[in-house]
Amino acid sequence: MAGSVTSDSSAERVGYITRIQSFSACHRLHSIHLSDEENKKVYGKCNNPHGHGHNYKVEVTVRGKIDRVTGMVMNLTDLKRCIEDVIMTPLDHKNLDKDVPYFASVVSTTENVAVYIWDNMAKALLPNLLYEIKIHETDKNIVVYRGE
Ligand SMILES: Nc1nc2c(c(=O)[nH]1)N=C([C@H](O)[C@H](O)COP(=O)(O)OP(=O)(O)OP(=O)(O)O)CN2
Ligand SMILES: [Zn+2]
C-alpha cells in the first residue's frame, strides 16, 4: 500500500544506550618517566605540585540487541549500579594520583582515566556490551575511548 511503512518483524534490532555520571576529583599531570623539568615543560600549569580539580562528566554507552521480550539492550538500573561501583566509589571526591593505586604509575590524563573506566566497566558488564566511554574533563576538553 502506498505510503505504508513495512518492517521485518524477524529482524534483530541493535540499540545504543547511554548513562551520564558526574564526579569530582583532583589530580596533577606528572609522568614518572620524565624529569621534573620535562614534566613542567610538557604539562605546564597542570604539573602544579599541589594539583587542581575537575568536575568530570562521563558518558557510558553500551551497544547490543534490543531484547524482544524486555524491550531493553540492558536494564539502565543495572548500568547505574555498575557505574556506582566502577566510577563513583573509587573516583568521586578523590585525589586520582594518591587515592587510586592505578594512577601511582600511570599519568592521570583524561585519556588514561577513560582507559581505567573502560577496563573496569568491561569487567563489570556482560561481554561485548560496552561500546564507548566519553569523558568531558571540562566544557571544552572531551575524550572518547572505545577499547582499541
Ligand atoms: N591530551 C590531554 N591534554 C591535557 C589534559 C588531558 O587530560 N589530556 N589535561 C590537561 C589539564 O589537566 C587540564 O584539564 C586542562 O585544563 P584547562 O586548560 O584549564 O581546560 P580548558 O581548556 O577547558 O580551559 P580554558 O583555559 O578555559 O580554555 C591539559 N592537557
Ligand atoms: Zn586536569
Side-chain angles (χ1 to χ4, degrees):
M1 193 198 333
S4 71
V5 179
T6 58
S7 71
D8 177 357
S9 62
S10 67
E12 269 177 356
R13 308 283 184 161
V14 172
Y16 296 73
I17 58 175
T18 301
R19 185 168 169 90
I20 301 180
Q21 181 67 57
S22 300
F23 75 93
S24 303
C26 67
H27 74 148
R28 176 194 189 201
L29 294 187
H30 186 93
S31 171
I32 57 169
H33 304 292
L34 299 173
S35 67
D36 285 353
E37 194 140 317
E38 287 168 325
N39 268 293
K40 258 185 226 158
K41 200 169 164 198
V42 172
Y43 299 119
K45 66 178 180 179
C46 302
N47 182 244
N48 165 38
H50 299 293
H52 62 276
H54 295 289
N55 293 315
Y56 294 90
K57 196 171 80 182
V58 187
E59 298 181 34
V60 178
T61 301
V62 299
R63 172 193 179 279
K65 283 182 219 156
I66 303 173
D67 187 278
R68 279 174 206 286
V69 175
T70 64
M72 299 187 286
V73 171
M74 79 173 281
N75 193 322
L76 280 160
T77 306
D78 295 333
L79 183 56
K80 177 179 166 181
R81 209 171 294 124
C82 291
I83 286 172
E84 193 64 31
D85 293 345
V86 169
I87 298 176
M88 296 310 278
T89 302
L91 304 181
D92 188 39
H93 283 75
K94 297 287 164 57
N95 179 320
L96 298 180
D97 310 315
K98 294 182 179 171
D99 294 325
V100 186
Y102 180 86
F103 293 110
S105 59
V106 173
V107 62
S108 56
T109 58
T110 308
E111 291 93 323
N112 284 337
V113 175
V115 168
Y116 169 90
I117 292 173
W118 174 282
D119 286 353
N120 289 295
M121 195 63 74
K123 284 181 214 156
L125 295 170
L126 289 174
N128 301 318
L129 206 51
L130 187 58
Y131 175 71
E132 179 179 278
I133 299 297
K134 182 183 279 189
I135 305 183
H136 301 249
E137 183 197 49
T138 68
D139 288 343
K140 300 170 191 168
N141 297 342
I142 301 162
V143 166
V144 171
Y145 184 65
R146 290 187 181 157
E148 295 165 0

